[in-house]
Amino acid sequence: MPFIPHTDDDVAAMLQAIGAPSIESLFDEIPAALRSGERAEIPPALSEQEITRLMRLRAQTDEQPACFIGAGAYDHYIPAAVWQIATRGEYYSAYTPYQAEASQGTLQVLYEFQSMMTALTALDASNTSLYDGATALAEALLMAVRANRRCKSKRVLMPRALHPLYRSTVRTIVEPQGLELVEVDFDAASGQTPVERCAALAGDQGVAAVVINQPNFFGVLETVDALTDWAHEQGALAVAVVNPLALALLTPPGEWGAAGADIACGEAQPFGMPLSSGGPYAGFLCCKQALVRQLPGRIVGRTLDADGKPGFTLTLQAREQHIRRSKATSNICTNQGLMVTAATIHLALLGAEGLEQVARACHANTLGLVERLCALPGVEPAFTGAIFHEQALRLPRAPREVLGRLAAEADVLGGFALGADYPELDDALLVCATEQRSEEEMRRYASALAEILEAG
């Protein structure tokens, strides 16, 4: 809560200066019917000491359930050093480098982030981040349609096995700008998006871009080589949506198929960002060198100054703040600088070997959890496709009811019910076990689920 130092005399002087009789009069354009009036449910004001005591008491009641929910936001271990460094004053309070070349520390961090993301994706260029993974995909599709000059169509194929919130966000942003989004259904047996279904929806006007996610929302690994090659055969750009942690084990987008994906994007939350009730997070966006002029946001470059010393500079920022709006690649006016700082520190601490160890631990834990749960009567995998660190399971009881009882009776957040977004999977639950989950927690989950299913 900020401290507001204005006295009654200060307020009176300011009102007099602007010619207003009261603060209330500043809001007289709001109709009376829309005003909330007095809020009787708000208790009397407390002193600072009383508020501190109340907050401590409430914090003590917070539980720490074992989290087996993934679905785009993952409970990974964050080394203590990450936020100890990220919250230092020079990082924590810095918003954006308006006097860019005077902010060498900030620019270096952003440059290191870009370098790490291009290394993970095997692509040539990266921007300094976007708001989150969903908006990063929307920007990637707008970018792909602009850049694909060989195709006059604005038709984009988007898999239905993509995160539902990503699909919703993309529609909100790109459809008013004239893009046609066509959803490609997944195979009911494997959970993958077959090339044949893409081909059936290509249409006579051609396709500007094809979205390929790895892994998909169900945790299933897609046949990315075949999908990328097919997209290029149609004259379309291949836009990859990836979990960056999975790239420690899987083939990077820049090496998919014969020529590699053209653009890669996703959510950087697995790198140093806590769940935090849904954010803030940071989206990343990478591309081939040929497309770099269409890349939205900022790009930091490394250079030499007049004395031959290394330094950093904002190399490209094709944003509406800097050039004519009709020529801008995006109306994005910021980047998630603090989140990117945390991600960069996190990646630097883990290194390539540490990142691979985390990815392997996540994969092993999920396989172990699934083996335990599928040993219970009526529990089975929803799909046959190989997975990374998430899997959809079919249950003999309604998933929402099961989840409620797991939370209430075993202090376990058991997963994500798929029925609301995929009616044909109304009996399915998406579970995830990151490196954070212990053997005891997985045993507790399996034991609690067994009791709930037996109780009927």
Side-chain angles (χ1 to χ4, degrees), residues 326-347:
S326 62
K327 299 293 184 180
T329 57
S330 173
N331 66 351
I332 292 174
C333 295
T334 189
N335 68 293
Q336 291 284 25
L338 182 61
M339 298 299 108
V340 165
T341 298
T344 306
I345 297 167
H346 185 91
L347 288 167

Side-chain angles (χ1 to χ4, degrees), residues 305-440:
D305 66 13
D307 298 323
K309 297 179 181 178
F312 301 91
T313 181
L314 283 178
T315 303
L316 183 65
Q317 37 190 341
R319 310 180 312 147
E320 55 87 9
Q321 281 186 326
H322 299 280
I323 65 175
R324 297 193 309 277
R325 293 192 176 193
S326 62
K327 299 293 184 180
T329 57
S330 173
N331 66 351
I332 292 174
C333 295
T334 189
N335 68 293
Q336 291 284 25
L338 182 61
M339 298 299 108
V340 165
T341 298
T344 306
I345 297 167
H346 185 91
L347 288 167
L349 287 171
L350 264 63
E353 183 178 349
L355 201 63
E356 182 178 342
Q357 289 175 355
V358 171
R360 290 189 182 280
C362 292
H363 182 63
N365 275 357
T366 299
L367 292 182
L369 174 67
V370 168
E371 183 179 3
R372 279 189 170 93
L373 299 184
C374 288
L376 304 176
V379 181
E380 61 182 13
F383 304 112
T384 59
I387 58 104
F388 170 49
H389 73 351
E390 257 170 315
Q391 186 151 10
L393 302 177
R394 294 191 183 273
L395 304 182
R397 304 233 354 228
R400 290 188 178 276
E401 176 192 349
V402 169
L403 290 176
R405 292 190 58 183
L406 283 171
E409 300 171 16
D411 204 22
V412 166
L413 302 179
F416 180 85
L418 291 168
D421 298 296
Y422 300 93
E424 68 272 43
L425 297 173
D426 192 49
D427 61 343
L429 186 68
L430 187 64
V431 299
C432 173
T434 68
E435 83 286 6
Q436 287 269 69
R437 303 284 67 86
S438 67
E439 287 290 323
E440 187 280 328

